[in-house]
Amino acid sequence: MTKIIDYGRFAERLAADRPRWALLDEVQREWGYRDPGGDPLASREDEAPGYEPDEPVPAALLEWWDSPFNSFAMRPRLYWTHPQWPPSAPDSVDDPPGDSVRVIMAEYQWVNQWGYLASEAAQDDPKVVVNTAGGWTTQSRSISEFFLQLALERLPAHFGWSIRVPRKTVDDDPAIVARLQDNYRDMGLLPWQEMGTDALSYGAPDAIIRHGRGPGADYAIVVQARTRRALTDVLDTLGLTWSDEDVAAPAEVPPRTEDLGPASFASDDERWTAAAVPAASAVPALPDVAALRDLPGRTAAGTDRDRTAAAAGTSAGHVHVWDAAGAEIGAERLHRAPVTAVACVRDAEGLTVVSGDANGVLRRWKPGVGVFARAFAHRDAPVTALAGATLETGAAVAAAWADGLVRIWDLATGSVADLRIGTGIEALGLRPEGVLHVTATGGSAALRLDLDRLWPDRDFRSRIDRIAWKDLWSNHGPAVEVPGLLGTLASDDEDAAQAAVKRLYELLVSRHGPNAAAAPAVPFLVERMLVPGNRARNTLLLLIADIADGPGDEREAVKAAVPSLRHLLDDDHPSIRWAANELVRICEA
């Protein structure tokens, strides 16, 4: 976050004339939220299938549900609130005198409910009211402002640096509030009403300060900042005493883009070598499909190597697919941004279409079978090129983003390889013999891929997939998560690998009853433990040791692996030596 945002001037942004959801989009991006791609986790259709309102509903509410900027629909767990569709009468709360409320959102425990007045339902963007101990009061001046305010209440707490100052600290030093009011400006929002708290919001450079009042305000001052420096600046200005233990780091940090120069093909990367392959056939020519040629708003198109199908994307995020004869075999709105690239690949399982957009999202689709609900991939840079082909290992897809990263997938196993080639990539072509053609603004090259080096974990993932995990029971039901988590152990991303170990611990470690999924998982855990470059070795060995403490077949599976792990008793790292001792102690007990 290099650009400093002064939230002391937020009231000016709030008053500016702009499209209804533009400020919401800006704020969400400023705090680190990115559209994850894929299908929404919450929608009107999910809440009330087939429901058609029989009374007026404000246009702004309908727009919010369908908006590409609706972070609640994509990630409801960021909010911990309950949406209400259709808008409904309050639960266990009387309506205001002479009117009635249509609730659109409720606090997680239903202590507070937010909605609009039925008498104002015909307005495009009416005010939002909330129930409090003193009755219904205005929460926000419009529905659109309410959802903006709700995002400002929730997202900084997740993506930002924060500190909470107890009420007693502020009560004992009233000058803290005086310094707050003297140094920082009100953001122009109405006080936030929730859980008995009436909170005013003040803006600072890269930070928001909330002054909580009312009986529910256990923390009288809450500071949330985009950077740690911005947080400490506010604390110093307010004259607060604090320690590092008081500061909460962001729960989630958006992945960074690559910092690469223009595309370069002079590299010591052993996964590819320059190939003398004619570029003429690098990207197959599109079939002559009239509907594709005439598609309104077309922004990208592609075909498979044998030209049996063609696909095209539009500026509105739609993807259309035709067979070579021109018959449409599918059309879906897969993206919430203009489609920038499309690729097709056909193998024994049929046709797969992959599309990318200006938000950096990839979607995967098998026409006639269905769309994968989750995004295939997402990075914070526009997708610039896609290519697909069936290699000797099976179907593969390559994608390039504007920051210069090229990623190649083995679709059967999910194995991934990242090539940091550089910026300016305009087109990719992938040939069945494993040659990747790259066209960039500064030139082009053919790269012959070494598939064994490209996907060293491919065999590992393939063996995982041979086990019917859905038929095995874990601590939390069928072990459908286990194969994906085992595959993640091979990731170069340390955070992802460590998170996979943590989740596997929850699923596989049991001391009270048998766990059918644990024993089949042990050989894969041990195999990853023996890879020197594994990014989660310290916690992974402890996971194996704790599985050995279980009451079922998992104990014998671990005991059988002890000879291959015993050398870790002499590992260079103290944490590994300690975990190895625990493993041996448990297995020999």
Side-chain angles (χ1 to χ4, degrees):
M1 297 181 178
T2 56
K3 180 183 177 182
I4 295 176
I5 308 294
D6 185 0
Y7 290 97
R9 304 188 64 179
F10 191 80
E12 299 170 25
R13 299 170 66 187
L14 192 62
D17 185 19
R18 64 176 75 210
R20 184 173 283 162
W21 305 107
L23 186 54
L24 174 64
D25 182 34
E26 289 177 14
V27 164
Q28 291 179 157
R29 288 179 173 274
E30 288 165 8
W31 284 94
Y33 171 80
R34 298 293 183 270
D35 181 349
D39 294 342
L41 298 180
S43 69
R44 284 189 286 157
E45 184 62 23
D46 291 335
E47 294 294 314
Y51 173 79
E52 291 295 333
D54 54 6
E55 61 179 35
V57 174
L61 181 61
L62 299 175
E63 288 176 12
W64 176 79
W65 271 111
D66 300 335
S67 169
F69 312 126
N70 185 341
S71 57
F72 175 88
M74 299 307 300
R75 297 187 59 182
R77 293 295 291 272
L78 291 174
Y79 284 82
W80 292 97
T81 56
H82 299 287
Q84 285 297 109
W85 181 262
S88 58
D91 181 58
S92 305
V93 179
D94 292 335
D95 280 314
D99 211 330
S100 57
V101 173
R102 297 292 177 262
V103 174
I104 61 175
M105 189 70 73
E107 181 271 329
Y108 195 67
Q109 300 178 52
W110 289 87
V111 173
N112 297 100
Q113 300 169 63
W114 296 278
Y116 57 88
L117 297 174
S119 62
E120 298 178 356
Q123 297 180 21
D124 275 359
D125 201 4
K127 69 176 178 286
V128 170
V129 296
V130 59
N131 64 298
T132 68
W136 291 93
T137 188
T138 301
Q139 172 63 88
S140 304
R141 287 168 287 244
S142 65
I143 287 176
S144 55
E145 185 174 292
F146 167 72
F147 286 117
L148 168 66
Q149 200 166 357
L150 182 61
L152 281 167
E153 288 291 323
R154 299 306 199 254
L155 300 189
H158 181 82
F159 292 102
W161 295 84
S162 61
I163 194 167
R164 299 186 296 178
V165 182
R167 172 189 285 181
K168 185 177 185 307
T169 301
V170 178
D171 288 346
D172 290 347
D173 184 5
I176 293 174
V177 173
R179 288 190 288 269
L180 170 64
Q181 295 170 342
D182 289 344
N183 287 281
Y184 300 109
R185 296 168 62 185
D186 187 291
M187 291 177 62
L189 299 163
L190 298 183
W192 184 254
Q193 309 288 335
E194 187 172 4
M195 300 295 285
T197 298
D198 173 82
L200 293 170
S201 296
Y202 294 83
D206 271 346
I208 294 172
I209 309 113
R210 292 190 173 81
H211 177 206
R213 307 169 299 179
D218 294 334
Y219 298 95
I221 299 289
V222 177
V223 185
Q224 293 156 342
R226 297 172 71 233
T227 65
R228 196 178 194 279
R229 174 63 183 273
L231 180 77
T232 59
D233 285 348
V234 170
L235 299 179
D236 292 344
T237 300
L238 296 181
L240 291 164
T241 300
W242 57 278
S243 67
D244 288 341
E245 289 72 24
D246 299 323
V247 175
E252 178 182 342
V253 177
R256 295 182 178 179
T257 54
E258 298 288 337
D259 184 16
L260 300 172
S264 172
F265 307 107
S267 171
D268 56 1
D269 192 332
E270 296 181 345
R271 296 173 297 174
W272 57 267
T273 55
V277 178
S281 59
V283 179
L286 293 171
D288 186 18
V289 173
L292 182 155
R293 188 173 59 246
D294 300 333
L295 181 67
R298 191 184 89 182
T299 51
T303 184
D304 60 307
R305 296 298 309 184
D306 295 326
R307 303 173 70 236
T308 64
T314 73
S315 57
H318 294 89
V319 178
H320 301 255
V321 184
W322 301 267
D323 63 22
E328 188 170 76
I329 56 178
E332 297 279 353
R333 186 182 182 192
L334 302 182
H335 298 271
R336 287 178 289 278
V339 177
T340 54
V342 180
C344 303
V345 58
R346 187 181 292 278
D347 61 8
E349 296 184 0
L351 179 69
T352 295
V353 177
V354 178
S355 51
D357 68 26
N359 283 344
V361 173
L362 294 183
R363 297 295 305 272
R364 184 180 175 189
W365 177 24
K366 296 186 77 68
V369 178
V371 177
F372 291 79
R374 299 184 65 180
F376 182 50
H378 180 208
R379 301 186 64 255
D380 198 18
V383 177
T384 61
L386 281 166
T390 301
L391 312 181
E392 63 181 50
T393 51
V397 167
W401 282 268
D403 64 346
L405 184 76
V406 173
R407 180 169 290 170
I408 310 175
W409 288 265
D410 175 76
L411 292 184
T413 64
S415 294
V416 175
D418 285 347
L419 307 183
R420 290 167 175 81
I421 290 175
T423 60
I425 297 174
E426 299 174 337
L428 294 175
L430 189 59
R431 295 173 58 89
E433 61 269 28
V435 174
L436 177 69
H437 291 264
V438 182
T439 301
T441 53
S444 60
L447 313 179
R448 187 174 299 280
L449 305 173
D450 184 327
L451 301 183
D452 291 333
R453 287 176 168 168
L454 193 70
W455 299 310
D457 63 329
R458 183 182 177 279
D459 177 66
F460 175 75
R461 292 174 180 265
S462 179
R463 285 184 282 112
I464 291 172
D465 290 342
R466 294 172 195 162
I467 295 175
W469 297 99
K470 64 181 176 58
D471 298 329
L472 302 175
W473 210 253
S474 74
N475 294 338
H476 297 281
V480 291
E481 286 184 75
V482 171
L485 294 167
L486 292 173
T488 303
L489 295 179
S491 173
D492 288 335
D493 184 334
E494 182 172 353
D495 290 341
Q498 294 284 7
V501 172
K502 180 180 179 182
R503 182 56 178 161
L504 285 167
Y505 196 102
E506 296 168 353
L507 294 173
L508 302 179
V509 175
S510 173
R511 295 184 176 88
H512 307 294
N515 185 311
V522 166
F524 299 107
L525 299 175
V526 172
E527 184 175 341
R528 293 315 302 174
M529 190 62 219
L530 296 175
V531 175
N534 186 278
R535 309 290 286 182
R537 292 179 76 232
N538 56 337
T539 53
L540 180 55
L541 190 55
L542 282 173
L543 169 63
I544 296 169
D546 282 340
I547 288 175
D549 216 9
D553 294 341
E554 60 266 34
R555 179 177 177 83
E556 295 305 314
V558 175
K559 288 177 68 175
V562 167
S564 65
L565 297 171
R566 192 176 288 273
H567 69 284
L568 297 174
L569 293 166
D570 300 317
D571 195 88
D572 292 339
H573 297 279
S575 61
I576 299 294
R577 294 198 301 271
W578 183 85
N581 272 288
E582 282 295 292
L583 172 67
V584 172
R585 180 187 64 79
I586 292 169
C587 289
E588 293 182 351

